[in-house]
């Protein structure tokens, strides 16, 4: 079988299985089985596919027919130009989250805290983009932290990043000039509408806090001011309909300069705010 025939077979299988974007997914899966970049597939169309590579491709197609996300099958995802390992223990990094990166990089920072670090895509991207910064990533899931640790090592950032198991800010000490978070924000009602790629394969704890989806924002905004230096920023990713509710939580937390930022599709995606004047205890100021 040639590369072109394999691609056609794989796309056909996925189409029959009701997988959206069947041709695109088949290309990624075939490229991974062949050990080449997806853009090489067209150039290799007439080449024969070795038996063991074909077997690998068939296994990939079978996994995708069970709705396993492509990133989990091939084991990685590109995010903001870097490669991140992805397993069923972490959220598959979404392109929408790059909006949060863009907003965070609009101002310099030296100490960043990422709450709910998952694969590490936010924390590690920010550290890679800001070479004089150090950062802490937290997650409640030790399995997610293991993936983040692997990505930290792969990207050569172990000397500037620290990973801590913590229920939001419970085990965090010190102050930061930037706090970022992409917390679980899908409401219980919305969970029913998600595709099986998400509900069957991604960690439940990464998707929803239950209820109206806002609980993580309530906790984070309640405590963020205690961990921000004067002028420090809080930036969170939100679901498309959550802008107004999260803006009110930022206002209640006495954050200033609150902005709701849109993603490339024009949907509300990120809320940012800044801590204004603050009365410091002597012990806190010593940490600055
Ligand atoms: C939506 S995922 C985001 C992962 C990653 N930051 C990203 O943007 O791809 C949310 C993350 O928050 C973590 N999480 C959920 N509840 C938490 C809690 N109570 N404390 C800390 N982290 C929590 C989940 O394990 C998950 O890794």
């Amino acid at each position: 079988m040639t590369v072109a025939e394999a691609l056609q077979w794989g796309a056909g299988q996925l189409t029959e299985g009701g997988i959206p974007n069947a041709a695109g997914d088949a290309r990624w899966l075939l490229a991974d089985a062949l050990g080449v970049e997806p853009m090489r597939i067209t150039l290799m169309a007439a080449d024969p596919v070795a038996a063991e590579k074909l077997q690998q491709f068939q296994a990939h197609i079978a996994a995708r027919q069970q709705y396993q996300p492509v990133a989990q099958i091939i084991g990685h995802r590109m995010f903001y130009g870097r490669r991140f390992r992805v397993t069923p223990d972490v959220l598959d990094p979404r392109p929408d989250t790059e909006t949060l990166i863009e907003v965070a990089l609009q101002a310099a920072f030296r100490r960043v805290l990422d709450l709910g670090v998952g694969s590490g895509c936010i924390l590690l991207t920010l550290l890679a983009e800001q070479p004089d910064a150090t950062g802490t990533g937290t997650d409640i899931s030790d399995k997610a932290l293991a993936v983040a640790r692997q990505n930290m090592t792969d990207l050569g950032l172990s000397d500037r990043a620290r990973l801590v198991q913590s229920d939001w800010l419970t085990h965090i000490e010190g102050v930061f000039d930037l706090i970022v978070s992409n917390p679980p924000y899908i409401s219980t009602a919305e969970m029913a509408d998600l595709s099986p790629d998400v509900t069957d394969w991604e960690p439940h704890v990464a998707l929803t806090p239950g209820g109206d989806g806002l609980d993580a924002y309530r906790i984070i905004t309640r405590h963020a001011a205690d961990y921000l230096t004067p002028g420090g920023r809080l930036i969170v990713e939100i679901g498309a309909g959550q802008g107004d509710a999260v803006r009110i939580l930022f206002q209640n937390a006495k954050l200033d300069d609150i902005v709701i930022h849109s993603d490339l599709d024009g949907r509300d995606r990120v809320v940012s705010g800044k801590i204004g004047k603050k009365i410091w205890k002597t012990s806190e100021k010593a940490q600055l």
Side-chain angles (χ1 to χ4, degrees), residues 85 87-91 116-120 138-151 163 165 203 205-206:
R85 286 180 196 234
T87 75
D89 294 320
V90 293
L91 190 87
V117 73
S119 63
T138 73
D139 209 289
I140 200 159
S141 158
D142 55 343
K143 290 183 176 163
L145 287 169
V147 177
R149 194 158 287 117
Q150 191 68 60
N151 283 322
L163 296 168
Q165 190 168 20
V205 70

Side-chain angles (χ1 to χ4, degrees), residues 9-30:
W9 170 81
Q13 292 290 303
L14 295 184
T15 303
E16 266 176 43
I19 306 291
N21 190 28
D25 285 3
R27 180 174 287 261
W28 271 95
L29 297 171
L30 181 57

Side-chain angles (χ1 to χ4, degrees), residues 79 89-94 97-98 100 114-123 138-142 144-145 164-170 180-186 202-209 216 219-220 237:
F79 180 83
D89 294 320
V90 293
L91 190 87
D92 181 2
R94 306 293 203 269
T97 302
E98 293 179 339
L100 187 155
D114 180 2
L115 299 170
V117 73
S119 63
C121 63
I122 297 176
L123 176 73
T138 73
D139 209 289
I140 200 159
S141 158
D142 55 343
L145 287 169
V164 181
Q165 190 168 20
S166 175
D167 183 356
W168 300 128
L169 290 138
T170 318
V180 289
S181 185
N182 173 19
Y185 57 66
I186 299 167
E202 299 204 86
H204 191 265
V205 70
L207 300 172
T208 178
I219 297 169
I220 292 169
E237 178 169 324

